[in-house]
Amino acid sequence: MSKVSIFWFRRDLRLEDNCGLFHALKGDDAVQPIFIFDRDILDELNDDSDARVHFIHGEISRLAQEIAVRGGSLDVRYGHPLEIWKQLLEDYEISALYANRDYEPYARERDKAVYELLESQGIPFISKKDQVFYEKSEVLKADGAPYVVYTPYSRLWKERFKNEGIPFFDSSSIQHWNPGSNQLISLEAMGFKPSTLSFPGRTVDLGIVKNYHNTRNTPSKPGTTRLSVHLRFGTISIRELIRQTADANGKYLNELIWRDFYSSILWHFPHVAKGNFNKKYDRVAWRNDEEEFHRWCKGETGYPIVDAGMRELNNTGYMHNRVRMIVASFLTKHLLVDWRWGEAYFAEKLLDFDLTSNNGGWQWAAGTGVDAAPYFRIFNPYSQTDKFDPKKKYIEHWVPEYDSAEYPEPIVDHKAARERALETYKAALS
């Protein structure tokens, strides 16, 4: 066998501006790309028509075709990564593994195990930055400590960005692939079936970006780019997105910086993946009423803006960002349900589920995360409706019965729930 370098696709399902792939193709040996449908993840999914698996499968099929046109092949495997890698060592004479870094706790454990396996064979595991613009410890305070407040983090992020510009990894002219036939696996062979949900395109709509500051909080309008699912799976490059939008709208750039910020928080404080960033909130006495939680999940709380958001999520796999904040605040503050319950439900339903952003957003809403004095921030669903859905277009679309006898009474009184939340948080902090 001829030696090959392996490029491992993970959260970077594209050939364009792919940092790890670029460096692999520049190496001495032909590149054999692989993708692993990871049973450590897939076996935990409850829905056999999970739209994300369908989305990934479609993107892998597209990648295979694009690689074939370039004279290469995509080797797709299904199983547990470490076992797959033991088999790959038998199937190929591997000179090096290239991959783009993943910062989530499970991914770090997985990559550590693969690294140790390859190291025992004298094979280097070469990882690159691709998923975020600035990673790990690239944006730190002067004393080397990580930022835990967004505004100063974003200020330094922008200063570095202004001075350093945007790198571009163009491998389109490098045809250094390992020839062969594509090895694909069907959804059905993995125990899944196609989803009926639709996916947004990955083309950047600059018209939306330029007007983003005016439309981003109005859930009834197409005022956001809907590119989050593509950033999540790397079907669009974060660098390319910033290249196209940075000068178009500062508010939009701020949202992209939030991704880096939450990634930095997870990297430096990995305990947030399962617990409160601010440990003093471990003493909050959550009510965790299961019936109320299930009514929240189904969109039957009697608060139209909350119910509209949950029904949008359940029916489309998407929820407008402003509404995400409203429903999260309602669950954690009005119902006093542990934010981890809501985070897990979003993780199950969101097409664009990303641990860093989902976790950061839920802890922000619950007041347990990176915020100065957050516990008394309790969104009023009625005033949020008046401000962001005044004509109730969003509500009418998802909760057409909201103004009829069929619609349930509010699950809890807003004023009473607010006072209860404040008392509960104060008691925890005393």
Side-chain angles (χ1 to χ4, degrees):
M1 291 186 293
S2 300
K3 282 192 173 184
V4 296
S5 292
I6 300 289
F7 177 73
W8 186 3
F9 282 106
R10 289 106 70 87
R11 294 184 53 167
D12 46 15
L13 305 182
R14 67 186 188 283
L15 303 185
E16 309 83 11
D17 193 26
N18 186 318
C19 182
L21 178 60
F22 170 81
H23 284 91
L25 288 168
K26 283 184 64 180
D28 294 331
D29 299 312
V31 173
Q32 175 61 58
I34 69 162
F35 181 82
I36 299 173
F37 280 102
D38 186 346
R39 289 195 58 183
D40 291 340
I41 296 173
L42 297 182
D43 288 355
E44 297 298 315
L45 300 179
N46 298 318
D47 184 0
D48 63 0
S49 61
D50 192 296
R52 293 163 298 191
V53 182
H54 183 185
F55 177 82
I56 293 169
H57 190 269
E59 295 302 316
I60 291 301
S61 298
R62 171 187 58 79
L63 268 179
Q65 294 171 10
E66 293 178 359
I67 293 169
V69 168
R70 289 163 171 79
S73 62
L74 179 61
D75 188 343
V76 179
R77 305 286 177 110
Y78 168 66
H80 302 283
L82 195 59
E83 297 306 311
I84 295 292
W85 270 100
K86 291 176 182 177
Q87 185 61 50
L88 287 167
L89 287 170
E90 295 184 13
D91 295 343
Y92 297 100
E93 186 175 354
I94 302 172
S95 60
L97 163 63
Y98 290 82
N100 291 311
R101 286 190 278 275
D102 192 339
Y103 311 97
E104 295 184 4
Y106 163 73
R108 291 167 67 176
E109 292 177 8
R110 174 202 64 203
D111 287 358
K112 182 175 183 291
V114 172
Y115 172 86
E116 291 173 349
L117 173 65
L118 296 183
E119 185 182 40
S120 70
Q121 304 295 314
I123 300 170
F125 185 162
I126 302 164
S127 64
K128 299 293 180 179
K129 176 184 67 173
D130 186 80
Q131 177 186 323
V132 292
F133 196 83
Y134 287 125
E135 66 170 3
K136 297 182 182 179
S137 301
E138 289 188 310
V139 180
L140 298 174
K141 298 178 183 178
D143 63 0
Y147 283 103
V148 295
V149 178
Y150 171 77
T151 301
Y153 174 90
S154 67
R155 193 178 298 123
L156 182 56
W157 191 104
K158 291 175 181 176
E159 183 180 324
R160 286 199 57 174
F161 171 68
K162 182 179 179 181
N163 293 329
E164 298 172 3
I166 307 173
F168 178 56
F169 302 97
D170 182 9
S171 60
S172 59
S173 63
I174 312 173
Q175 306 303 331
H176 199 188
W177 303 90
N178 188 47
S181 58
N182 289 320
Q183 300 179 43
L184 303 177
I185 183 172
S186 68
L187 282 171
E188 291 74 14
M190 297 185 292
F192 290 89
K193 58 187 179 182
S195 169
T196 58
L197 298 187
S198 59
F199 306 98
R202 57 173 175 160
T203 301
V204 180
D205 188 329
L206 283 178
I208 287 178
V209 173
K210 290 176 180 177
N211 202 35
Y212 181 76
H213 58 294
N214 293 320
T215 59
R216 68 192 184 105
N217 281 314
T218 307
S220 63
K221 294 182 178 179
T224 61
T225 61
R226 296 289 303 274
L227 291 173
S228 51
V229 65
H230 295 287
L231 286 173
R232 166 63 180 88
F233 295 109
T235 49
I236 187 172
S237 157
I238 182 61
R239 294 176 297 277
E240 179 59 28
L241 183 56
I242 290 175
R243 184 179 295 109
Q244 292 190 40
T245 62
D247 295 331
N249 196 305
K251 284 286 187 182
Y252 189 78
L253 179 61
N254 285 342
E255 293 303 309
L256 300 180
I257 297 172
W258 272 105
R259 291 182 70 251
D260 282 10
F261 176 65
Y262 280 142
S263 179
S264 172
I265 292 298
L266 182 64
W267 178 263
H268 290 285
F269 306 97
H271 73 273
V272 301
K274 295 183 178 179
N276 299 318
F277 169 81
N278 193 330
K279 293 181 180 294
K280 66 184 179 182
Y281 290 102
D282 290 350
R283 298 190 294 272
V284 172
W286 303 109
R287 292 176 62 249
N288 290 343
D289 185 299
E290 291 192 13
E291 181 182 350
E292 291 181 355
F293 174 68
H294 289 307
R295 286 184 62 180
W296 175 85
C297 291
K298 293 185 290 184
E300 298 175 355
T301 67
Y303 281 81
I305 192 69
V306 174
D307 294 341
M310 297 308 297
R311 295 184 193 185
E312 180 185 27
L313 173 64
N314 292 333
N315 283 280
T316 70
Y318 171 80
M319 189 193 300
H320 188 277
N321 189 58
R322 166 56 57 175
V323 186
R324 294 187 197 197
M325 292 189 282
I326 296 170
V327 304
S329 175
F330 186 86
L331 183 70
T332 57
K333 301 291 177 63
H334 282 70
L335 302 184
L336 283 173
V337 171
D338 192 325
W339 60 266
R340 282 160 285 214
W341 290 31
E343 181 195 37
Y345 191 75
F346 271 28
E348 181 180 336
K349 295 292 184 177
L350 282 172
L351 294 180
D352 64 2
F353 167 68
D354 179 278
L355 174 60
T356 56
S357 297
N358 194 46
N359 181 274
W362 272 99
Q363 295 221 41
W364 182 89
T368 62
V370 286
D371 211 336
Y375 75 87
F376 46 78
R377 183 201 299 112
I378 302 174
F379 283 4
N380 181 332
Y382 300 120
S383 61
Q384 290 285 307
T385 299
D386 292 341
K387 190 172 182 180
F388 301 115
D389 193 31
K391 296 183 179 180
K392 297 184 173 58
K393 292 183 178 179
Y394 178 72
I395 287 173
E396 286 178 351
H397 180 78
W398 292 108
V399 193
E401 81 281 14
Y402 82 95
D403 201 22
S404 71
E406 299 175 19
Y407 190 60
E409 291 295 314
I411 194 172
V412 66
D413 176 75
H414 167 67
K415 183 179 179 182
R418 183 179 186 280
E419 292 174 353
R420 180 176 65 186
L422 291 172
E423 291 172 0
T424 300
Y425 274 76
K426 287 177 182 177
L429 298 176
S430 62

